[in-house]
Amino acid sequence: MEDAQLILMLVRRCQAGDAAAWEDIVQRFHRRIFNLCYRFTGTSDDAEDLTQEVFIKMYKTLDSYDPAKGAFLTWVSTMTRNLLVDHFRRTKLERLSDSMDATPEGEDDAPRMADRIADKGRDPYSQAESQEVGVAVHAALQKLSPDLREAVILRDLQDLDYREIAIVLKVPEGTVKSRINRGRAELGRVLQRTYRQVNLA
Amino acid sequence: MTNPTQSGASYTMQCSEFEALLADALDGVLTGERMAQFRSHSSACATCGPLFAEAESGRKWLTSLAEIAPPRHLVHNILLATSGLQGTREQAATEPRASFWFQLKHALNPQPLLTLVMEPRFGLSMAMAFFSVSLAMNVAGVKISDLQKMDLRPSAINRTYHETQSRVVHYYDNIRFVYEVESRVRELRKTLQPSEPAPTKQQNDEPEQKQQKNESDKNSQPEHQQNYLSESQRDVLLAREHSPIVNLEVRRTA
Ligand SMILES: [Zn+2]
């Protein structure tokens, strides 16, 4: 976690026109924002474009950030999430037409994922750091509905607490928890299927 | 708290309550009596038991995901797209070389160039920048005569700059190269403008200017100057198609 006081000081310097402070902010947050975008969109290219978009927007609107209304990280996460929603809507039509040509979800991907990890050990968790498993989890994440996906990413990958996530998603904390429960369970089921196929193979 | 198992058994938790506590249970913040009640419902309920197992495994999968490293050029691109600067962090280690880089970089990069033109105290002439660039290109294998065939759109120039930069950086490591370039610039100046006093003056001002340039790199705000600057920039770009002497004139009027 970032030191809130230090960040606040950097933001103030930025607002006063200090370019070095801005660079510091970019250095500190680009990795986190890139990962948020990458896990949500699924591709590195989209994540790169969106991360740039986030920082351009942040640069333009930094003056409007008010520390009294919440932590900078929450503000940044909200901005990123809003751009992800825009991106999702923008690409929705493309994806809908794509999916008409494709085979039903799951049927196609699961065996391929299973092939990839077929020669790995019996205890998948111990392999969790291996690239193949990372690929499988990342692919499973893309199968979740965007509501559930963003909730589990913010909680389990970005480490925000429920209160912060509630602010970012603009829903009550109870809804946040329920989405996280469902998202985790859904992901668990998808990966369980994948690994069952591994065991059968 | 005194006897969690017993009190847990005496209370029947509902499925809705179980779901509301699930996130806290997985986070490890649910303890004592409540956790015992939670566990007993989990083992008894045909719906909540599997839900707990799936959510727990899903959480484990997610937290096993490593953070991935963003592309190396991402920060650079973000800074270019926002403050218009290239970042000082990587350059910090190569501070003494910054002045030449500054000239080369800013002569080819639209926004910072504008700052340069607008800032009288720099006194670095466009001609000087042009000489530096053309000499660097020469050393890097680009002939000045090729400039006439070059695509002068900003994006193309940017690309040329990046291509050239990768070749030039190799030479630049050797400080003697810098001196050589500077002496060649002096020679060229003498050859081209034997009676012109201005270049000599620039030469004397140079060390001081380099310092100032580095500072202004951090403080500049190119946005406000865009209109005027793009005009003078276009002049410079056009001038490149002609001889270096034309450049000197452009500089004097700027
Ligand atoms: Zn139940």
Side-chain angles (χ1 to χ4, degrees):
Chain A
M1 269 292 136
E2 303 291 344
D3 178 4
Q5 282 305 107
L6 179 70
I7 298 297
L8 195 55
M9 208 181 69
L10 281 173
V11 172
R12 293 239 163 86
R13 278 171 55 201
C14 265
Q15 287 171 338
D18 183 341
W22 169 246
E23 186 184 346
D24 210 337
I25 285 185
V26 174
Q27 292 281 4
R28 275 165 197 275
F29 287 92
H30 79 284
R31 199 180 169 95
R32 169 181 266 276
I33 294 172
F34 177 80
N35 272 269
L36 173 51
C37 295
Y38 174 66
R39 294 308 183 188
F40 186 84
T41 63
T43 77
S44 181
D45 283 350
D46 282 347
E48 200 182 327
D49 291 348
L50 280 158
T51 306
Q52 279 211 54
E53 244 182 85
V54 170
F55 277 103
I56 289 169
K57 190 173 178 193
M58 202 194 300
Y59 190 72
K60 285 180 187 159
T61 57
L62 201 62
D63 285 340
S64 72
Y65 168 67
D66 178 6
K69 286 183 184 161
F72 186 67
L73 180 59
T74 313
W75 187 72
V76 169
S77 303
T78 307
M79 187 177 287
T80 308
R81 188 263 174 176
N82 291 343
L83 284 168
L84 285 171
V85 171
D86 290 346
H87 172 81
F88 180 79
R89 289 186 185 138
R90 223 162 40 220
T91 55
K92 199 175 183 177
L93 278 173
E94 293 168 33
R95 276 180 289 104
L96 275 177
S97 61
D98 283 353
S99 65
M100 282 193 252
D101 307 326
T103 47
E105 235 182 82
E107 310 257 327
D108 191 35
D109 282 23
R112 194 151 40 81
M113 260 187 328
D115 287 346
R116 271 195 211 128
I117 45 187
D119 53 343
K120 293 285 157 186
R122 291 127 299 279
D123 176 15
Y125 290 133
S126 69
Q127 306 278 335
E129 267 135 44
S130 80
Q131 226 189 335
E132 289 84 354
V133 174
V135 169
V137 178
H138 184 70
L141 195 49
Q142 306 311 310
K143 291 183 185 298
L144 300 186
S145 76
D147 279 1
L148 305 187
R149 198 190 315 153
E150 64 184 3
V152 295
I153 290 174
L154 290 171
R155 178 71 196 121
D156 291 330
L157 301 180
Q158 299 270 303
D159 243 358
L160 299 189
D161 63 35
Y162 301 109
R163 193 187 51 84
E164 289 169 320
I165 298 172
I167 295 170
V168 171
L169 302 183
K170 297 176 199 75
V171 294
E173 265 188 62
T175 310
V176 170
K177 284 190 179 178
S178 150
R179 285 184 191 173
I180 290 170
N181 289 340
R182 285 188 288 141
R184 285 169 173 169
E186 177 78 30
L187 192 86
R189 276 195 293 276
V190 169
L191 286 162
Q192 218 174 344
R193 273 206 300 276
T194 305
Y195 281 99
R196 200 179 297 135
Q197 269 154 347
V198 173
N199 289 338
L200 291 175
Chain B
M1 283 289 217
T2 43
N3 196 340
T5 329
Q6 207 170 15
S7 43
S10 67
Y11 173 85
T12 323
M13 187 179 276
Q14 300 301 304
C15 290
S16 58
E17 197 179 356
F18 179 91
E19 222 229 295
L21 292 174
L22 178 53
D24 287 344
L26 289 176
D27 283 348
V29 295
L30 194 65
T31 52
E33 198 175 324
R34 294 293 276 161
M35 190 62 194
Q37 292 162 355
F38 181 87
R39 279 218 186 89
S40 85
H41 182 95
S42 180
S43 55
C45 178
T47 311
C48 297
L51 176 68
F52 178 77
E54 285 161 1
E56 188 179 36
S57 90
R59 183 177 173 276
K60 273 191 192 169
W61 287 116
L62 281 163
T63 51
S64 78
L65 277 181
E67 203 181 48
I68 75 158
R72 277 179 59 231
H73 55 263
L74 183 59
V75 169
H76 173 94
N77 289 351
I78 289 168
L79 291 175
L80 273 186
T82 53
S83 60
L85 305 179
Q86 300 216 345
T88 50
R89 199 152 291 190
E90 304 97 303
Q91 286 174 17
T94 59
E95 201 59 57
R97 311 170 183 174
S99 64
F100 183 75
W101 267 129
F102 189 89
Q103 293 170 25
L104 178 61
K105 201 160 65 185
H106 288 68
L108 288 170
N109 248 326
Q111 287 194 342
L113 167 72
L114 309 177
T115 321
L116 189 71
V117 175
M118 289 300 289
E119 199 58 75
R121 70 195 167 100
F122 289 163
L124 174 74
S125 70
M126 295 313 294
M128 181 62 204
F130 174 77
F131 277 131
S132 305
V133 169
S134 54
L135 280 167
M137 282 179 160
N138 229 335
V139 172
V142 180
K143 294 203 170 66
I144 293 186
S145 56
D146 290 345
L147 283 175
Q148 290 177 17
K149 297 170 215 150
M150 262 171 62
D151 195 345
L152 287 173
R153 282 171 299 131
S155 63
I157 288 174
N158 235 352
R159 197 170 54 240
T160 309
Y161 156 62
H162 282 293
E163 283 165 4
T164 308
Q165 168 180 312
S166 60
R167 280 179 285 179
V168 170
V169 72
H170 176 71
Y171 294 94
Y172 200 78
D173 280 326
N174 189 338
I175 196 71
R176 280 172 58 202
F177 167 71
V178 179
Y179 286 124
E180 199 180 326
V181 168
E182 285 182 351
S183 72
R184 283 182 67 182
V185 169
R186 277 193 291 273
E187 280 169 31
L188 260 169
R189 276 209 199 102
K190 272 182 220 159
T191 323
L192 293 167
Q193 296 261 309
S195 59
E196 173 63 52
T200 321
K201 189 178 173 287
Q202 290 158 18
Q203 219 171 295
N204 296 338
D205 291 344
E206 247 168 77
E208 213 179 312
Q209 287 157 6
K210 285 173 187 172
Q211 295 264 333
Q212 289 171 344
K213 265 177 281 160
N214 286 335
E215 270 175 48
S216 87
D217 194 7
K218 291 170 193 157
N219 298 329
S220 57
Q221 294 194 324
E223 285 87 352
H224 307 295
Q225 302 155 354
Q226 215 128 16
N227 283 340
Y228 168 69
L229 294 168
S230 56
E231 187 114 358
S232 54
Q233 184 196 4
R234 200 172 51 236
D235 288 343
V236 172
L237 293 180
L238 286 171
R240 273 189 204 165
E241 290 181 301
H242 310 293
S243 75
I245 297 167
V246 178
N247 259 281
L248 285 173
E249 280 158 16
V250 168
R251 178 232 138 224
R252 279 199 302 273
T253 55

